[in-house]
Amino acid sequence: MSSTLTAAPGTAGAAGAAAGEGGPAKKSKKMLVVVPLLVALVAGAAWFFLLRGSGEPAKKPEPKPGAVVTLDSVNINLADGHYLKLKLALQASADVKEGPDGSKAQGIAGDQLTGADMATLQTAKGRRLAQARLTHAIVKAYTEEEKETVIDVYYPEFVSQ
């Protein structure tokens, strides 16, 4: 009597497939997928941490203050027959060779404040808000080729009546 050894079901077939019939082909197919995936993952991580930067635009250096040009007072008509006596002083950048012409700033002030409510301008909050908006508009108007020629605006007189 001859006896034959047989493997438990499920183990011989799997061992045979891994050892002979398709084991190396399966590994090479997996490697074709895994290796490029790992390379892409490493390249993406390197770009994210090393080359991308901080994601924020580079801050331009603060301009250095130059001369202050004080303008003559102007009267601006407010609502309900009231008026605002306004005197501006423009803080020029140190890069500017000659002081800025103030007529543009006075025109912007007239455009923004004509017809404004005196009661609003008499409150500290309303005055600060009007001055902040006006300062922003004036600095923007005096910006040429991304260089600010006027960097700030001062209000020596801001009197409504």
Side-chain angles (χ1 to χ4, degrees), residues 37-102:
L37 185 63
L38 285 175
V39 169
L41 193 66
V42 169
W47 173 83
F48 184 79
F49 290 111
L50 302 175
L51 302 176
R52 178 181 66 101
S54 66
E56 297 176 10
K59 284 188 175 182
K60 59 182 179 182
E62 289 289 321
K64 294 182 181 169
V68 176
V69 177
T70 303
L71 308 177
D72 292 332
S73 295
V74 293
N75 291 325
I76 298 173
N77 292 325
L78 300 176
D80 299 326
H82 297 283
Y83 70 93
L84 172 71
K85 186 173 184 181
L86 178 67
K87 185 174 196 172
L88 300 172
L90 306 177
Q91 174 72 64
S93 169
D95 300 334
V96 177
K97 292 177 180 78
E98 56 184 72
D101 176 23

Side-chain angles (χ1 to χ4, degrees), residues 92-142:
S93 169
D95 300 334
V96 177
K97 292 177 180 78
E98 56 184 72
D101 176 23
S103 58
K104 189 188 301 187
Q106 288 176 329
I108 293 169
D111 290 344
Q112 283 200 2
L113 296 172
T114 296
D117 182 39
M118 184 180 84
T120 303
L121 294 177
Q122 285 184 328
T123 66
K125 183 178 177 182
R127 186 174 46 257
R128 279 193 309 269
L129 181 61
Q131 289 175 347
R133 287 180 180 163
L134 185 55
T135 299
H136 176 73
I138 291 172
V139 168
K140 185 177 176 182
Y142 283 91

